[in-house]
Amino acid sequence: QVQLVESGGGLVQAGGSLRLSCAVSGRTIRNSVTGWFRQAPGKDREFVAQTRWSSGDTNYARSVKGRFTISKDNAKNTVNLQMTSLEPEDTAVYYCTTTGLTGSYDYWGQGTQVIVSS
């Protein structure tokens, strides 16, 4: 089993920054991908960013590219999401997720709330 625990959410004004962290523990897959999704009220969950543990390759949603940076710390087994130039549209619950043996996002954290005020 894999456990994911997010932290770092909160309330911030538009234009501000926040840093989310995801602590990954348990039986992780060597070439797995860990990412962030978000879900705003009344909307579907959407992809934000992802990184591969083995190579460090990253991928971003168009809406956050240039503003958000995903990074990993192999020694601490954490994945961080640095969010800058935040907009009210970034308000959502942010979820950390990681892939299992099939390559699908099989494991999810509980989520952390981000609120951006205008």
Side-chain angles (χ1 to χ4, degrees):
Q1 263 303 10
V2 178
Q3 293 82 40
L4 303 162
V5 179
E6 304 100 333
S7 61
L11 173 65
V12 65
Q13 287 189 328
S17 301
L18 273 178
R19 187 170 184 257
L20 306 182
S21 289
C22 175
V24 184
S25 61
R27 222 170 160 181
T28 54
I29 308 301
R30 193 178 212 175
N31 199 33
S32 61
V33 174
T34 296
W36 291 90
F37 281 66
R38 67 186 181 186
Q39 188 165 19
K43 294 189 176 180
D44 292 334
R45 193 173 294 190
E46 64 173 3
F47 169 77
V48 176
Q50 68 182 33
T51 184
R52 186 174 296 276
W53 283 97
S54 58
S55 64
D57 289 346
T58 59
N59 191 26
Y60 296 92
R62 189 176 297 180
S63 59
V64 307
K65 202 166 188 177
R67 300 189 298 122
F68 291 11
T69 303
I70 190 169
S71 63
K72 62 183 179 67
D73 185 330
N74 288 57
K76 294 182 180 178
N77 267 12
T78 58
V79 172
N80 303 309
L81 186 68
Q82 180 68 46
M83 307 185 293
T84 62
S85 301
L86 283 161
E87 303 165 353
E89 293 73 23
D90 296 316
T91 294
V93 177
Y94 283 70
Y95 297 91
C96 180
T97 177
T98 197
T99 56
L101 286 171
T102 63
S104 302
Y105 279 121
D106 291 333
Y107 304 100
W108 293 82
Q110 296 288 78
T112 185
Q113 177 76 58
V114 172
I115 299 173
V116 184
S117 62
S118 56

